[in-house]
Amino acid sequence: MHIDARKLPDNSVIDGDICIVGAGAAGISIALDWIDSPHKVILLESGGFEYDHEVQKLINGSTTGQKYFPLISSRIAAFGGTTGHWAGMCSPMDNIDFMKRDWVPHSGWPITRQDLDPYYERAHEALQLGAYNYDLAYWQEKTPDLAEFALDKEVVYTKLWKINGARFGQLYKESIEKARNIHLYTYATLTNILGNEGLSEIKEVTIKNTAGKTHTVRAKHFILAGGSIQNARMLLASNTQSEKGVGNDNDNVGRYFMEHLEIQSAEIWLYKPFRAKLYSYSGDGGVYGELAISEKAQREHRILNGTAGLVPLSLAKGQTPRIELWQDDDPRKSMDRLIKNWTEAALEAKAELYGEDEDSTAPKTAEEELMELLALFDKLSMTNSFETQTRIEQSPNPDSRVTLGSERDALGMPRVNLHWKLSEIDKRSIRTIYQLIGEQMGLAGLGRVCLKEFLQDENDNTTWPEGTNAGWHHMGTTRMSDDPKTGVVDANCQVHGISNLYVAGAGCFATSAAPNPTLTLVALSIRLSDHVKQKMNAI
Amino acid sequence: MDRRSFVLLSATGAVALTIPVACSGFGTVRYDPILNQPQSLTSLLTPDQISSIGKKYREKVPKEKTVNAIARKLLDDISAEGDALIAAIDKKIKKDFETGNTAFIEGWVLSVTEARQCALSTLATQNA
């Protein structure tokens, strides 16, 4: 059922068994898992069902360090969260991503890929991704023209993504509203977390909204699922009982913020045109490949895990770096600007290669435009020159962090500052990835690789070009570790030292791997859901 | 054709001659001028790019600043001409990539052999 918290009498008290704070991919995935259970689930959403700029302003903050997107438009504060406009790219992390790597400071998860595998499968259902199968041969059997580059897989292989931009807000609104035991409260923004004396157990949270109402939610278990930055903010700002905030005895909350570096890095020049359908973004239902570096080569060269996406050079040369396009406070306007740029770049490339279409100016629906754009991507993918876009994990860095600022939002919550900081290994790894791809392209006799200017000086691992993009992927602010001194949550996503407080989402990632985080964060959330169920059944 | 145009090299320069392939004198290296053309790169790079890579290679590897020095390195175990020379160089390039004997110049990931060819090409142009 759905309740608009603005319409409740002021100072209402809401009771439940479980309180999930945030109705994005993580929160909704957990709530769905509890439908028809005997437990009363309170699902809190800061916004409503539609985009509301007044609510969106609540997540604004400042940024320092490496240039970043405006925080206000890097997430969506509404039911469904940022799935409201994501590209739907999903791929599981690799085995090595969970391991302690002596060349990657602060690496290592307390769980393995095998621990997550059953949950990846369940996450596939929530994300409506179809078969949990990332074996290229399986997909080539279904779509024979998914040719891959014939490279030595011991060094460079093709890693697969599945694509489905599942809009959780639309997909699951009805199921959540109809579920008798799920009580969704919109316009319910958490402003404080209160525990017992000693803060070993959470008793209640305070919620507020832009209508000026304040309410209290009491539950047996609390799950923070508001996104990595907002989760850290909630913990840090809840400092009425502990000056450092909740779960922050060891000063780890907000630290180790990670993003995916998504950056134009090299050009691949082939001797013969190659039909790169496999490496071309094909929209919902498709599979998509990027060149990836084997675990063996990562170990040998002591580099991070990263991949190279291919964009036909004719298309890439008209594309503006996303970090420049996405600077509006309103995410919808930034998205429009991005799509416009991609469309114009594709049309320019098409005109250059094939001449103008007579009906290119005819009015089209948004869906027709998207389909045309994807068809154009496909057409342009038959070429002998590509620009590569790196997609790489960021080395965990304690100085890359979210802190509270002095400014407050309309509900009195301190706003955050994000200091995004990169490390030398990040840049060295990108360079090495392309040197390895270059060697393999040469060895296979396919062509040669040329790295972009910013990577050419092997002694410079600190400067980054203006167009250094991120992926809008916020990770690591409440990282997972068995040791409370090095992490905020344990292997089950429970906040260390607090028996009934958990964090769901990419904030729990100890390292960020190369793939987009949604599949893994949903898998991890479902795993957390199981853990809470076990704990409740044990009572 | 049983005779080809070769280049006789010495410390003082290069002179184009038409002589048999077999000769090789002390202090000089005679080679098929086809070696000046990095066949593996000519379809991908412009002559200016090849020239620029060649210059950079010579800066990076000062020991290989003369035609003689570079040609010796290129021909260390090769005595062939024409297509056979091209095939032998191709093999050498492949081996370079296999063994990681690569050069990273102006962003390009190249085999050392083809980088040397670029260097040789710039010297041959200078000396022509």
Side-chain angles (χ1 to χ4, degrees):
Chain A
M1 71 181 68
H2 167 235
I3 304 105
D4 185 333
R6 294 173 300 184
K7 293 176 183 168
L8 290 173
D10 198 15
N11 293 314
S12 292
V13 175
I14 301 159
D15 280 303
D17 293 313
I18 298 164
C19 173
I20 304 167
V21 184
I28 290 176
S29 297
I30 296 173
L32 291 171
D33 200 38
W34 289 78
I35 288 179
D36 293 335
S37 76
H39 303 289
K40 182 180 175 184
V41 176
I42 310 296
L43 177 58
L44 303 176
E45 170 51 49
S46 192
F49 289 116
E50 302 297 330
Y51 179 87
D52 180 336
H53 199 66
E54 287 308 304
V55 176
Q56 195 73 19
K57 285 198 282 193
L58 297 174
I59 65 168
N60 202 6
S62 54
T63 62
T64 52
Q66 182 68 35
K67 185 180 179 184
Y68 198 62
F69 305 111
L71 292 188
I72 185 172
S73 57
S74 66
R75 289 260 115 9
I76 297 182
F79 182 77
T82 310
T83 66
H85 67 194
W86 73 315
M89 293 183 64
C90 292
S91 186
M93 290 184 175
D94 300 326
N95 287 330
I96 192 172
D97 295 321
F98 296 89
M99 296 174 187
K100 172 84 186 157
R101 292 165 281 170
D102 64 11
W103 64 96
V104 182
H106 313 287
S107 60
W109 294 51
I111 60 172
T112 65
R113 159 69 190 264
Q114 286 65 42
D115 290 326
L116 263 195
D117 265 331
Y119 300 98
Y120 271 136
E121 199 155 357
R122 286 168 63 183
H124 255 235
E125 289 171 28
L127 289 158
Q128 302 193 339
L129 285 164
Y132 177 52
N133 191 323
Y134 288 84
D135 177 30
L136 179 56
Y138 172 86
W139 293 103
Q140 282 173 324
E141 209 169 284
K142 292 175 180 293
T143 314
D145 56 349
L146 294 178
E148 72 173 320
F149 287 114
L151 304 174
D152 179 0
K153 291 183 176 61
E154 290 282 301
V155 184
V156 179
Y157 70 101
T158 299
K159 183 172 172 67
L160 283 192
W161 270 252
K162 292 204 73 187
I163 299 167
N164 187 34
R167 304 280 184 257
F168 273 39
Q170 294 163 20
L171 278 176
Y172 296 120
K173 179 172 180 273
E174 198 180 333
S175 310
I176 296 285
E177 279 182 317
K178 280 188 176 169
R180 285 184 193 172
N181 67 320
I182 311 290
H183 298 241
L184 166 66
Y185 290 82
T186 51
Y187 291 94
T189 302
L190 185 148
T191 58
N192 201 10
I193 303 168
L194 292 163
N196 62 352
E197 199 180 328
L199 260 177
S200 61
E201 188 184 7
I202 301 305
K203 294 292 184 190
E204 62 185 44
V205 297
T206 306
I207 56 171
K208 293 187 177 184
N209 56 44
T210 46
K213 304 274 179 72
T214 300
H215 310 300
T216 298
V217 181
R218 292 180 184 139
K220 293 172 187 152
H221 297 271
F222 294 86
I223 300 171
L224 303 183
S228 301
I229 292 178
Q230 295 308 312
N231 287 343
R233 182 188 186 195
M234 289 184 250
L235 291 168
L236 292 170
S238 298
N239 54 9
T240 48
Q241 290 177 283
S242 170
E243 202 181 327
K244 289 178 174 176
V246 171
N248 195 31
D249 291 349
N250 293 295
D251 190 26
N252 282 319
V253 173
R255 290 190 184 270
Y256 303 96
F257 172 86
M258 297 176 288
E259 250 283 9
H260 286 125
L261 279 159
E262 296 190 353
I263 182 167
Q264 283 69 28
S265 306
E267 290 176 7
I268 296 178
W269 286 84
L270 304 175
Y271 293 122
K272 292 177 188 165
F274 180 79
R275 176 96 168 89
K277 187 180 175 68
L278 171 61
Y279 303 96
S280 179
Y281 181 84
S282 54
D284 287 355
V287 292
Y288 164 81
E290 295 196 346
L291 297 177
I293 306 300
S294 71
E295 182 178 323
K296 185 180 158 205
Q298 287 179 50
R299 287 184 185 285
E300 191 181 331
H301 296 275
R302 300 174 71 80
I303 56 172
L304 299 168
N305 198 358
T307 59
L310 272 56
V311 181
L313 195 56
S314 57
L315 178 63
K317 67 185 180 186
Q319 290 181 338
T320 304
R322 298 191 296 276
I323 197 82
E324 290 172 29
L325 294 169
W326 198 283
Q327 287 296 331
D328 201 287
D329 279 358
D330 186 333
R332 298 166 302 177
K333 288 181 185 165
S334 283
M335 178 61 92
D336 288 347
R337 196 167 294 138
L338 185 70
I339 298 295
K340 186 170 180 276
N341 176 255
W342 286 358
T343 306
E344 284 172 356
L347 290 173
E348 274 170 32
K350 184 186 169 195
E352 193 180 310
L353 296 171
Y354 310 107
E356 292 278 3
D357 261 0
E358 282 177 10
D359 64 343
S360 61
T361 54
K364 297 177 186 78
T365 65
E367 194 179 345
E368 282 170 341
E369 276 190 6
L370 179 64
M371 295 312 288
E372 260 188 35
L373 188 60
L374 292 174
L376 203 45
F377 283 175
D378 187 40
K379 191 172 181 179
L380 294 169
S381 73
M382 178 71 184
T383 182
N384 71 334
S385 57
F386 297 90
E387 183 176 79
T388 65
Q389 180 192 264
T390 306
R391 188 187 308 279
I392 191 169
E393 64 176 325
Q394 174 187 349
S395 174
N397 182 339
D399 298 328
S400 182
R401 65 186 296 201
V402 171
T403 52
L404 297 181
S406 53
E407 202 184 319
R408 289 179 182 266
D409 69 14
L411 303 181
M413 281 277 278
R415 293 196 184 280
V416 295
N417 179 72
L418 167 64
H419 184 70
W420 185 28
K421 191 169 181 188
L422 303 175
S423 308
E424 293 199 11
I425 190 176
D426 302 338
K427 187 167 175 183
R428 180 176 68 75
S429 297
I430 296 175
R431 182 183 299 111
T432 307
I433 284 170
Y434 290 100
Q435 288 172 331
L436 289 169
I437 293 173
E439 285 177 12
Q440 292 307 309
M441 283 283 172
L443 179 60
L446 293 173
R448 296 291 180 271
V449 170
C450 184
L451 279 68
K452 298 273 186 191
E453 198 172 345
F454 80 97
L455 292 170
Q456 292 181 11
D457 179 356
E458 290 179 282
N459 297 313
D460 174 11
N461 289 319
T462 54
T463 56
W464 295 88
E466 277 295 301
T468 301
N469 294 311
W472 301 276
H473 303 155
H474 303 165
M475 300 170 281
T477 56
T478 51
R479 73 194 314 256
M480 183 187 281
S481 172
D482 277 337
D483 183 351
K485 288 188 180 134
T486 56
V488 175
V489 300
D490 67 13
N492 292 312
C493 299
Q494 181 195 314
V495 175
H496 282 294
I498 305 178
S499 62
N500 65 340
L501 180 63
Y502 315 86
V503 180
C508 301
F509 293 6
T511 51
S512 50
N516 310 51
T518 305
L519 177 65
T520 299
L521 79 85
V522 170
L524 211 51
S525 300
I526 296 170
R527 183 171 175 273
L528 165 61
S529 179
D530 272 10
H531 176 69
V532 176
K533 275 182 188 169
Q534 282 167 15
K535 277 178 88 166
M536 290 194 77
N537 291 336
I539 294 168
Chain B
M1 193 172 167
D2 59 354
R3 294 170 71 85
R4 291 181 56 86
S5 180
F6 275 75
V7 179
L8 173 64
L9 305 164
S10 71
T12 55
V15 182
L17 297 173
T18 301
I19 53 172
V21 66
C23 304
S24 178
F26 178 76
T28 61
V29 178
R30 276 185 285 183
Y31 69 93
D32 186 333
I34 207 164
L35 197 63
N36 288 336
Q37 298 302 317
Q39 306 284 333
S40 56
L41 301 178
T42 47
S43 66
L44 301 177
L45 277 69
T46 64
D48 282 350
Q49 284 176 303
I50 288 173
S51 170
S52 183
I53 287 169
K55 283 176 192 159
K56 276 277 154 57
Y57 179 80
R58 282 158 50 209
E59 282 170 26
K60 272 187 154 182
V61 191
K63 280 182 185 171
E64 297 181 28
K65 63 182 176 187
T66 66
V67 173
N68 241 354
I70 298 169
R72 274 184 206 286
K73 291 276 186 187
L74 284 169
L75 296 171
D76 58 357
D77 55 353
I78 300 172
S79 57
E81 60 172 305
D83 291 345
L85 176 59
I86 292 172
I89 290 292
D90 277 350
K91 205 170 160 189
K92 211 170 159 75
I93 289 170
K94 191 173 179 188
K95 192 172 178 194
D96 280 349
F97 281 121
E98 235 167 35
T99 56
N101 188 28
T102 54
F104 182 49
I105 303 174
E106 300 208 317
W108 289 93
V109 182
L110 303 171
S111 97
V112 167
T113 297
E114 58 195 1
R116 281 182 177 134
Q117 282 187 284
C118 293
L120 192 61
S121 159
T122 59
L123 284 171
T125 309
Q126 272 179 18
N127 295 331

